[in-house]
Amino acid sequence: MLRGRAAAVRAVSIAAIAAGALSAGLTLKAEPAAAPAAPDPHHGKAVSYTCLGCHGIEGYKNAYPMYSVPELRGQNAEYLVIALHGYRDGDRAHITMHSQTESLSEQDMTDVAAYLAGKPLAASGKPPTAVPAAAQLCVSCHGQDGIAVAPIYPSLAGQHEDYLVRALNEYKHGGRKNPVMKGFAANLKDEEIAQIAAYFSGLSPALDTEPRPYTVFGAD
């Protein structure tokens, strides 16, 4: 009887310990992830060296389908972090970008975005007088001069025209899943997409390509 009672006590104790450990584990799991520290462009440069294989070459094009790789210099860093999340999490369909981002931490993304964006474009203060009818809704977020009204939105001034066409078609057909852009692009006709892309690509000050340093063998 005593042995049975002792065994029962031990079983209850073990169960209590296990329950406590499980509870602690659930508590730890429920804690939110620590926010990234302040952006470190120097670390971002080290992490993003493969990015420059495409984004650091002037006029470089995606192989298939063929369209210009987007210019990132002058873009909003906050938007670039959102875009990186989209590629990593599958909200944007691009195999190469998914493989590039799947191993990046939150801090890596913050640092890479800070490095690639550099100094964001500043509004010119002289918006064009005529905005095409197709782009009237676009300017409420992306600005009449193509400079985004908030850092969570992309600036579009001077972006490659064929890239803008590609992006709008991806929103339209589901390759990108942002619900706001998907709803906006869903009813756009091909000629309207072309008008929007032509308008924003012709604006300045414009986005630019991040220069890629040449490798010199033997250099420090």
Side-chain angles (χ1 to χ4, degrees):
M1 177 68 74
L2 291 175
R3 289 182 180 177
R5 183 176 296 175
V9 170
R10 284 197 300 272
V12 171
S13 299
I14 292 170
I17 292 170
L22 178 59
S23 176
L26 291 174
T27 301
L28 289 174
K29 189 174 182 180
E31 290 180 357
D40 181 357
H42 296 291
H43 177 245
K45 181 177 182 179
V47 174
S48 65
Y49 68 96
T50 57
C51 304
L52 297 181
C54 294
H55 294 284
I57 302 176
E58 186 70 34
Y60 190 77
K61 291 183 179 291
N62 188 73
Y64 182 82
M66 184 74 76
Y67 59 88
S68 299
V69 170
E71 299 171 303
L72 304 180
R73 198 69 174 169
Q75 190 55 271
N76 289 314
E78 288 186 40
Y79 164 73
L80 291 182
V81 172
I82 293 171
L84 288 170
H85 269 286
Y87 288 117
R88 188 189 68 179
D89 301 338
D91 290 336
R92 293 189 178 195
H94 194 287
I95 294 175
T96 301
M97 284 299 300
H98 176 71
S99 64
Q100 288 285 326
T101 55
E102 62 181 349
S103 63
L104 294 179
S105 68
E106 295 296 319
Q107 188 64 55
D108 290 338
M109 289 188 184
T110 298
D111 296 345
V112 167
Y115 168 65
L116 293 177
K119 184 179 180 181
L121 295 179
S124 64
K126 299 179 180 180
T129 56
V131 178
Q136 288 289 342
L137 186 58
C138 307
V139 300
S140 60
C141 292
H142 301 289
Q144 282 193 329
D145 56 357
I147 311 300
V149 300
I152 61 171
Y153 304 131
S155 290
L156 304 181
Q159 186 60 271
H160 296 299
E161 184 173 353
D162 59 341
Y163 170 75
L164 294 177
V165 169
R166 175 68 188 183
L168 285 169
N169 275 305
E170 286 186 355
Y171 286 121
K172 180 177 181 177
H173 298 293
R176 299 188 183 193
K177 298 180 174 59
N178 180 286
V180 175
M181 284 300 301
K182 180 177 177 60
F184 166 70
N187 297 317
L188 287 177
K189 299 176 182 178
D190 289 346
E191 55 268 29
E192 291 174 322
I193 289 176
Q195 289 172 10
I196 292 169
Y199 172 71
F200 283 108
S201 66
L203 299 176
S204 62
L207 298 168
D208 201 358
T209 300
E210 171 64 33
R212 183 178 67 169
Y214 291 98
T215 299
V216 180
F217 293 104
D220 291 335

